[in-house]
Amino acid sequence: MRMLLAVLSLCASGSLAAEISNLGDHQFTVSHVITTEARPAVVYRTMTSHIDQWWNGDHSWSSDAENLYMKVERGGCFCEKLPGGGRVEHLRLIYFAPDRELRFDGALGPLQTLPVQGRMMWKIEAIESGSEIRFTYHVFGHPEGGLQGMAPAVAGVIGEQLKRLGERLRW
């Protein structure tokens, strides 16, 4: 519930922008793009090995980003350790190409409690000045009340993480 309130308060702030497309009762897509001077290998390593350094712990079940980790292997996950020995799988890794792309299956945060599914892609492309990072998250399903009202909150939370990743890559 705390996570849902954080998502909704972030949405209400209006401080983050995202492209929201395919918006309907049973689907939406959010997309974000940033560029960085970091090379693709550095971006990939930071995204996968140091998620706790850029993901906001307020958007985790334990409220502590140090509990977040990624197992980059076939069937691996973006996961989290919980107090008392528990664990949560945020997203299952279904495809990875080192230094280029990660694809995940799953529903983030409060979406996990709903009859929805998501497919998230993190793409890294080398450009002359460094890298372009593109996050895309497709969410689909049939929750009561539809999905239209959830898209801005999801876009805001994902956008915040991507902004934090960009800041971390400037270190």
Side-chain angles (χ1 to χ4, degrees):
M1 183 58 143
R2 191 176 97 86
M3 197 164 167
L4 176 60
L5 293 175
V7 168
L8 294 175
S9 68
L10 179 63
C11 176
S13 73
S15 62
L16 298 171
E19 179 183 337
I20 300 174
S21 59
N22 302 320
L23 186 59
D25 285 341
H26 305 294
Q27 66 187 16
F28 65 83
T29 299
V30 296
S31 303
H32 297 272
V33 178
I34 65 166
T35 58
T36 177
E37 293 179 5
R39 302 305 309 159
V42 172
V43 172
Y44 187 83
R45 185 174 57 250
T46 302
M47 290 169 76
T48 59
S49 300
H50 304 289
I51 197 163
D52 61 309
Q53 295 177 1
W54 59 273
W55 195 275
N56 185 344
D58 288 343
H59 299 292
S60 70
W61 294 109
S62 67
S63 300
D64 186 349
E66 288 187 19
N67 289 326
L68 299 170
Y69 63 96
M70 194 170 301
K71 292 174 88 174
V72 182
E73 59 188 40
R74 187 179 58 139
C77 66
F78 167 19
C79 292
E80 180 177 357
K81 295 179 237 172
L82 299 175
R87 298 269 197 267
V88 63
E89 177 182 286
H90 294 284
L91 300 165
R92 176 163 301 280
L93 188 59
I94 59 171
Y95 173 91
F96 65 97
D99 304 341
R100 294 191 322 251
E101 184 174 359
L102 296 143
R103 291 183 205 151
F104 301 92
D105 193 37
L108 287 173
L111 294 174
Q112 278 190 348
T113 64
L114 303 173
V116 302
Q117 188 59 341
R119 184 70 41 90
M120 182 179 283
M121 283 79 61
W122 300 358
K123 292 186 179 185
I124 307 162
E125 184 177 331
I127 57 175
E128 189 173 317
S129 61
S131 301
E132 178 180 88
I133 307 163
R134 189 174 297 273
F135 273 39
T136 306
Y137 192 31
H138 304 286
V139 177
F140 49 93
H142 295 273
E144 190 173 323
L147 285 170
Q148 287 186 357
M150 296 177 189
V154 172
V157 171
I158 301 272
E160 177 191 358
Q161 306 327 306
L162 189 55
K163 179 180 175 188
R164 290 170 59 94
L165 174 63
E167 291 168 358
R168 171 62 179 92
L169 289 166
R170 283 194 285 273
W171 287 7

